[in-house]
Amino acid sequence: MNDDPSVVEITVCNPKGEPLGNTIVKMYDETTYEAFKEKQTTKALWEVVTDKNGKATFVLERQKWFVRTQYRELMFVVLETLDAANYEWWSKGGTVTVGKKQSFKIVVNRQEAAKEIEKREEQPEESPFLIENGVLKGIKDSTLSQVIIPAGVKSIAPEAFWESNVESLVLNEGLESIGVQAFARSKKLASVSFPSSLKVIEKHAFEDCVSLTKVNLSHTAVEEIGSNAFRETGVNKVAFPVSLKKIGSQAFLKTQLENVVLPVSVEEIGPEAFREAVSLKSITLPNNIQKIGWQAFYGCTKLANVNYAGSMKLAEGVVESAAFEGCEALTRIILPQSIAEVQEGVFIECNKLTQIILPENVKKIGGYGLRTNYPVEKIVFKGEKAPEVEDSSLPFVDDLTSIVVPKGKLEEYKAAYVDYQKIMTENP
């Protein structure tokens, strides 16, 4: 019996052969594909987003996908929304054999889809929206579930779709801002298409949209995600734009995010931005981050991996109080190179954290800054000069196994942290 997984690699490109990254590929079997052909809103068995090379890889475990069979008929689909009731889609697939690697190519012709949209826009009809001077202020029919915002709308007014029944939303190219609470408490909203023209997402814009699971902002020009913008939504995956600089306070509080990769442009993560995102397992931070806010990752109990990307340009960053408090799965952490200050109680109740590595630019550590309330095996200092500390900044000496300092700086660190001299060593 072959227990190896089947690997299906889907390549998505345009008619010129150029790869299409950040494109969702949906997988269906024989039954669900037939249902999909009748109704394009049929839920897929699995979705994978293509990488920058246009590749989407499906790894199909035998015990889940090949029960009592060696073969599956699977189809892979790229779906584009034309309007509330019409879709354009491209598919490839066939027989997939257990334990084998197979490849399919999907060629997406978005120009044809764009022509269909233009054709439909040319047909005049009564607008279901309340629009004044490019501002969409509301909707006439509160029962409308499939919404495509018309061309010419520059902004969506505060509370325009508050507690609406919208399920599917396509925002128009040319839209620049989404107002405060614009779609808040729209509990049925499950799909949003964001335009490249979008610059501003205001406070509480999508708060409590519990059916919204995926947010793709990668093609937008958004620089700041407002406070509480996606708070307590069902969001489990976000693709951020390269323009992003700031994530507001509580922006993703109590969401279902699992893996977060922030672009290197991000300089600030606001207070409680990812607080109690209890499914969050990994976060990639920019090495030039200038602020990780108060309780930014508080109570992220599954957060086990903190990674970094990009280069450091300005070493004035701060990790604010309790930023990682209660991250129970965290075992090792290296702070970004830009960090100069670690405030109070950053790692309190990180009961499995055994190694803390501080970059060379750290100059100050606040009270309880490196304490967890549990034993810590190793703290590594990279700086040539011992950071300024308070009496309570380091763990109790009995709770700390070793301190490692830069080569040639042992005596300086011993003089700075007298009570810890016996457990200090130099980097080889």
Side-chain angles (χ1 to χ4, degrees), residues 25-329:
V25 180
K26 300 172 179 282
M27 185 180 82
Y28 298 90
D29 62 11
E30 292 176 278
T31 302
T32 54
Y33 185 61
E34 290 301 315
F36 166 82
K37 289 191 289 184
E38 295 294 325
K39 186 178 181 181
Q40 279 72 56
T41 55
T42 300
K43 186 176 181 180
L45 300 177
W46 195 358
E47 296 181 0
V48 174
V49 179
T50 59
D51 61 19
K52 64 181 181 181
N53 298 313
K55 305 288 186 183
T57 303
F58 294 79
V59 180
L60 308 175
E61 301 293 340
R62 178 188 175 88
Q63 57 268 32
K64 180 176 181 180
W65 299 100
F66 294 91
V67 179
R68 295 188 297 275
T69 184
Q70 297 287 313
Y71 309 97
R72 291 292 301 269
E73 294 296 324
L74 299 174
M75 293 297 294
F76 300 88
V77 177
V78 173
L79 180 69
E80 296 281 349
T81 302
L82 296 182
D83 58 34
N86 293 279
Y87 303 85
E88 186 81 6
W89 49 278
W90 303 265
S91 65
K92 278 289 171 63
T95 303
V96 176
T97 306
V98 64
K100 301 294 185 180
K101 182 175 181 179
Q102 291 162 265
S103 301
F104 300 101
K105 178 187 286 187
I106 299 177
V107 178
V108 173
N109 191 344
R110 284 178 171 149
Q111 290 181 344
E112 290 300 320
K115 290 178 182 178
E116 287 295 324
I117 293 174
E118 290 176 4
K119 189 185 299 182
R120 293 175 188 280
E121 288 176 348
E122 290 172 359
Q123 299 174 2
E125 58 181 29
E126 183 180 356
S127 173
F129 306 108
L130 300 170
I131 301 173
E132 294 182 12
N133 299 320
V135 180
L136 196 161
K137 295 190 172 182
I139 189 168
K140 297 175 184 177
D141 183 359
S142 62
T143 66
L144 199 62
S145 61
Q146 311 291 319
V147 170
I148 296 179
I149 306 301
V153 172
K154 294 292 185 181
S155 66
I156 297 176
E159 301 184 28
F161 291 84
W162 167 268
E163 291 188 339
S164 74
N165 289 299
V166 176
E167 298 175 13
S168 174
L169 171 67
V170 177
L171 301 172
N172 64 295
E173 280 296 338
L175 180 73
E176 295 181 356
S177 66
I178 299 173
V180 176
Q181 294 183 327
F183 296 92
R185 299 186 62 81
S186 295
K187 295 185 180 294
K188 296 179 182 178
L189 182 60
S191 172
V192 181
S193 176
F194 294 93
S196 62
S197 56
L198 185 64
K199 297 177 181 178
V200 178
I201 299 177
E202 294 279 9
K203 299 185 291 185
H204 305 274
F206 294 92
E207 182 176 356
D208 289 327
C209 293
V210 293
S211 297
L212 186 62
T213 59
K214 292 179 175 59
V215 173
N216 187 355
L217 300 172
S218 63
H219 300 298
T220 72
V222 171
E223 293 188 0
E224 179 176 349
I225 297 175
S227 63
N228 299 278
F230 295 95
R231 172 179 176 154
E232 296 186 71
T233 60
V235 170
N236 58 44
K237 182 178 290 187
V238 177
F240 295 98
V242 295
S243 55
L244 187 64
K245 294 181 179 179
K246 180 180 178 180
I247 297 175
S249 62
Q250 298 187 351
F252 294 96
L253 182 144
K254 293 186 179 180
T255 54
Q256 304 303 311
L257 288 168
E258 296 181 4
N259 302 291
V260 171
V261 178
L262 297 180
V264 296
S265 57
V266 173
E267 297 176 353
E268 180 176 340
I269 299 173
E272 302 179 281
F274 295 91
R275 176 178 173 143
E276 295 178 74
V278 295
S279 297
L280 185 63
K281 297 176 182 177
S282 71
I283 175 83
T284 298
L285 300 172
N287 257 323
N288 194 48
I289 192 85
Q290 297 302 307
K291 178 181 176 181
I292 300 176
W294 175 74
Q295 292 192 342
F297 297 96
Y298 175 95
C300 293
T301 53
K302 292 183 180 179
L303 181 60
N305 297 301
V306 180
N307 305 306
Y308 305 94
S311 58
M312 187 273 292
K313 299 177 183 177
L314 181 64
E316 296 180 0
V318 57
V319 182
E320 293 190 342
S321 302
F324 292 92
E325 181 174 345
C327 292
E328 298 174 354

Side-chain angles (χ1 to χ4, degrees), residues 315-345:
E316 296 180 0
V318 57
V319 182
E320 293 190 342
S321 302
F324 292 92
E325 181 174 345
C327 292
E328 298 174 354
L330 196 61
T331 59
R332 181 176 183 266
I333 188 166
I334 306 173
L335 293 179
Q337 295 173 351
S338 58
I339 298 303
E341 179 181 355
V342 178
Q343 292 188 349
E344 299 84 2

Side-chain angles (χ1 to χ4, degrees), residues 392-411:
S392 59
S393 295
L394 302 179
F396 290 113
V397 68
D398 292 339
D399 287 339
L400 183 57
T401 303
S402 71
I403 291 177
V404 180
V405 304
K407 189 173 183 180
K409 299 298 177 180
L410 184 59
E411 294 307 316

